[in-house]
Amino acid sequence: MKIFAIADLHLSFDENIDKPMDKFGPGWENHTERLRENWEKLVSDEDIVLIPGDISWALRIEEAIADFDWIHSLPGTKLISKGNHDLWWGRINYLNSLYDDIIFLQNDCYVIEEEGLVITASRGWPYPGSDEYTDHDEKIYARELHRMRLGLEAAASAAPDAEIIACLHYPPTNPSGQETGFTKMLEEYGVSKCIYGHLHGMPAYQTGIRGDLRGIEYMLVSLDYLGAVPKLIYESE
């Protein structure tokens, strides 16, 4: 079994949504066709793909169904979590009733018992000291920390001896490893890997952490950064 990750699919297959991505640069040209081709080359039905946010441009769940159907048509089990553009997100029980191969993670976890792994996910938010953070973000930042703790608590409770992989949409810190509420909590729960997306374009790529920080491996997995190729983050021995 393998685990892959790729964020920021930015899908818009519903006929009422017109959101072409190629205007954002060459990294987005034909991005869904390229992603499908690469996904089908790499991912088998036994594998898992983590998709941490910005799944669909839809505003309502009903408008996102065409995008979910497209994801459903791809191999593997997909674990989806919320991004800042996922305005359709809600009715989590309903979402999790739609497909047998798509799990929407919210304040919860997904245990892979045979591998000794557990996956948890949260949206995250700009942290104090980051360029995006303002005084208006204080309440949302605190709320997102609470939601991340709920997911990590669920993981620790469901599989206390398992290795934890955490998915965030926003980067949890900067390249210098500034301590934030997110990094402190990831370290508190002994997370081994943290993936995130949200950053687009060369200048933005440089604002997120990559590599090891205090025992946690951080990976940027936004679609344009990966060239629409899902990133392998775990493989069974």
Side-chain angles (χ1 to χ4, degrees):
M1 188 209 76
K2 298 176 182 178
I3 300 177
F4 296 86
I6 189 162
D8 303 282
L9 306 192
H10 287 292
L11 303 177
S12 57
F13 284 106
D14 187 275
E15 61 182 10
N16 296 314
I17 298 175
D18 183 23
K19 283 283 188 177
M21 291 296 295
D22 54 3
K23 66 181 180 182
F24 294 107
W28 292 101
E29 291 176 356
N30 303 313
H31 81 285
T32 56
E33 292 88 347
R34 291 188 292 118
L35 176 57
R36 175 179 286 280
E37 180 180 357
N38 292 322
W39 189 308
E40 291 179 341
K41 284 180 182 177
L42 295 170
V43 181
S44 74
D45 283 333
E46 290 71 43
D47 297 333
I48 292 172
V49 182
L50 312 180
I51 312 176
D54 281 6
I55 314 301
S56 169
W57 283 112
L59 300 179
R60 299 180 295 111
I61 289 176
E62 292 74 17
E63 295 172 335
I65 292 296
D67 299 331
F68 301 158
D69 286 345
W70 187 85
I71 295 171
H72 171 61
S73 72
L74 297 169
T77 297
K78 304 88 177 177
L79 305 188
I80 289 177
S81 51
K82 186 179 182 181
N84 58 302
H85 288 297
D86 292 317
L87 303 181
W88 51 268
W89 190 280
R91 296 156 57 193
I92 192 68
N93 290 335
Y94 172 71
L95 287 171
N96 278 315
S97 73
L98 294 175
Y99 306 92
D100 58 2
D101 63 341
I102 301 179
I103 291 92
F104 296 84
L105 280 177
Q106 177 177 287
N107 305 337
D108 206 348
C109 66
Y110 182 84
V111 179
I112 312 170
E113 188 172 356
E114 64 274 16
E115 300 292 333
L117 296 171
V118 58
I119 314 293
T120 187
S122 184
R123 180 174 63 174
W125 199 252
Y127 49 86
S130 66
D131 291 341
E132 292 184 76
Y133 186 87
T134 71
D135 291 342
H136 300 293
D137 292 306
E138 184 176 356
K139 288 184 179 180
I140 304 176
Y141 173 71
R143 184 178 69 199
E144 291 300 325
L145 280 172
H146 174 67
R147 287 176 172 172
M148 191 172 85
R149 186 175 292 279
L150 290 175
L152 289 166
E153 278 292 326
S157 177
D161 298 320
E163 176 184 344
I164 301 175
I165 299 175
C167 307
L168 289 171
H169 180 66
Y170 283 90
T173 185
N174 57 26
S176 65
Q178 172 190 340
E179 186 177 74
T180 70
F182 296 116
T183 62
K184 289 172 65 176
M185 197 177 297
L186 294 169
E187 293 164 23
E188 175 187 346
Y189 284 85
V191 169
S192 65
K193 293 181 174 69
C194 175
I195 64 165
Y196 66 92
H198 184 66
L199 303 180
H200 305 300
M202 189 59 68
Y205 300 153
Q206 308 307 315
T207 64
I209 185 170
R210 284 167 286 170
D212 183 85
L213 174 67
R214 294 187 287 273
I216 300 174
E217 183 182 5
Y218 290 92
M219 289 170 273
L220 170 59
V221 297
S222 53
L223 183 145
D224 51 328
Y225 178 73
L226 297 180
V229 180
K231 181 179 179 63
L232 178 66
I233 67 166
Y234 174 87
E235 183 173 5
S236 298
E237 296 182 358

